[in-house]
Amino acid sequence: MGKRVMVVDDSTTVRQEVVAILGPAGFDMLEAMDGEDGLKRLESAEDIALVLCDVNMPRMNGIEMLRLARERGLTTPFVMLTTEGQPELIARAKSLGAKGWIVKPFAADLLIMAVKKLTGSDAG
Amino acid sequence: MKAAFIDVLDSITSLACIDVFGSYRVGLRELPRPAKGNLIPNLDKEADGNASLVASVVGFTGDDLRGALLLATTFEVIARARPSGLAQQSLSKDSYSDWVMVRDWASELGNQILGRIKNKLRPFNVVLEVSTPTAFSGRALAFAKPKSPLARPFLFDTRGDRVWLWLDASFDPRQVLVSGSEESAKEGDVILF
């Protein structure tokens, strides 16, 4: 079984797209529909190697999810996967300990490369 | 660079729509803008009378610009624009769950178009906060008069299907934008810290 990656996005299609890219590359995929759902899953599953997280989501946005995860002592690496590209937001995510920022739409090969690098995985 | 707000908005909005659909393998050709008196056409009449239509709306707010972006097109266009990894799975208008998927993807496309507009406005120091998108669908969609008299309508063709886009926004059309602020990250960028 490959490293477990959780994708947090309110768009079902985006989640499916990420799963369709990373699943065949050898990763074990988990999905969450917003920051609140993602945080619950992150707290209950200890084996998540990386979180790919949208920023603009209902109920709880991705930056808030990252902030709360760190506040609760969760150190899982985050990569923000979003349409946002504003330098202030990127700096905010970085200051909260995010490991990367990907602007949608993304290329499948670059996503795989980034996830492999950040999970230290040679899966696929 | 100095440019009138209205010219900047027109060019980046049109290009954002073309680029987003293009990144999902759907080529758009911009058609002449709808006449001012026909800003919000009855989509059912403009499209094939039996066309099944889907529309998404994303709101935004900022000091210089606020309003909503509305994207509308047919079921087929949205289904065709799905990500390549999912495109081989054909969608049917007879399936309730497929309609849910099409509305979901229309929402995300609207979100990505507005994301591009937002990122392109950033160097002009125009900063927007974007809400989460919503979508709806039906056979006889028509929209009320836009809130803003400055609403910008755009019309595109793709293989005979229409794509409508409205930027229903309030802004000062006389405002001159000056670029020079820090640029946003670009679509497709992968930044590792």
Side-chain angles (χ1 to χ4, degrees):
Chain A
M1 185 73 77
K3 297 272 177 71
R4 176 169 277 190
V5 174
M6 177 164 70
V7 53
V8 187
D9 200 303
D10 56 322
S11 166
T12 310
T13 311
V14 171
R15 295 200 306 270
Q16 287 181 346
E17 178 186 15
V18 172
V19 169
I21 292 167
L22 295 179
F27 293 96
D28 178 28
M29 300 302 296
L30 188 65
E31 296 179 44
M33 65 173 71
D34 56 39
E36 206 168 296
D37 186 26
L39 196 57
K40 275 184 197 157
R41 287 172 191 266
L42 193 59
E43 285 181 309
S44 60
E46 291 176 355
D47 58 347
I48 296 174
L50 181 72
V51 177
L52 291 170
C53 191
D54 189 13
V55 170
N56 291 328
M57 293 183 285
R59 295 208 302 170
M60 183 190 292
N61 71 47
I63 298 287
E64 184 64 2
M65 180 190 165
L66 171 59
R67 189 188 70 77
L68 286 172
R70 295 298 181 253
E71 195 176 280
R72 295 174 192 184
L74 302 166
T75 56
T76 311
F78 273 59
V79 171
M80 313 314 287
L81 185 61
T82 175
T83 60
E84 299 280 351
Q86 301 205 11
E88 300 84 356
L89 266 181
I90 297 174
R92 170 89 174 125
K94 190 176 175 184
S95 73
L96 289 167
K99 295 293 183 192
W101 190 281
I102 298 175
V103 185
K104 298 173 185 172
F106 50 85
D109 55 341
L110 293 180
L111 177 68
I112 293 169
M113 193 178 70
V115 171
K116 280 186 175 177
K117 183 170 183 181
L118 291 170
T119 57
S121 174
D122 56 357
Chain B
M1 182 188 125
K2 282 185 181 179
F5 204 158
I6 201 158
D7 295 335
V8 172
L9 271 185
D10 279 353
S11 66
I12 66 175
T13 304
S14 168
L15 201 58
C17 189
I18 290 169
D19 284 349
V20 166
F21 275 91
S23 68
Y24 294 105
R25 312 163 316 283
V26 172
L28 297 186
R29 182 171 58 92
E30 188 168 10
L31 299 174
R33 306 249 164 102
K36 197 148 180 74
N38 191 24
L39 283 182
I40 304 289
N42 181 329
L43 302 187
D44 188 46
K45 283 181 184 161
E46 290 235 340
D48 171 347
N50 291 316
S52 300
L53 299 165
V54 59
S56 67
V57 184
V58 199
F60 54 89
T61 185
D63 289 343
D64 302 296
L65 185 72
R66 63 192 62 83
L69 181 86
L70 193 150
L71 168 71
T73 186
T74 61
F75 180 100
E76 288 81 4
V77 171
I78 298 294
R80 194 149 52 85
R82 297 184 80 219
S84 54
L86 307 174
Q88 68 273 29
Q89 175 194 347
S90 65
L91 300 181
S92 165
K93 283 187 277 190
D94 297 328
S95 162
Y96 174 81
S97 60
D98 286 357
W99 269 108
V100 172
M101 293 308 301
V102 162
R103 283 196 295 271
D104 175 79
W105 191 235
S107 291
E108 179 61 21
L109 289 172
N111 188 43
Q112 290 192 13
I113 292 168
L114 189 54
R116 279 186 186 244
I117 294 169
K118 178 178 174 174
N119 291 337
K120 293 281 189 298
L121 285 173
R122 178 62 179 76
F124 294 101
N125 212 23
V126 175
V127 178
L128 301 180
E129 291 287 330
V130 175
S131 69
T132 50
T134 189
F136 46 94
S137 55
R139 280 193 188 276
L141 298 185
F143 299 101
K145 198 175 171 186
K147 278 186 182 174
S148 167
L150 295 166
R152 319 303 293 159
F154 302 88
L155 179 61
F156 304 90
D157 173 84
T158 172
R159 296 190 200 166
D161 279 319
R162 292 283 190 266
V163 174
W164 295 269
L165 187 75
W166 291 275
L167 191 70
D168 186 1
S170 299
F171 59 99
D172 179 356
R174 293 161 304 174
Q175 185 178 344
V176 172
L177 300 181
V178 181
S179 67
S181 295
E182 194 176 356
E183 289 204 359
S184 294
K186 292 183 179 59
E187 298 73 24
D189 278 357
V190 175
I191 304 163
L192 299 183
F193 306 137

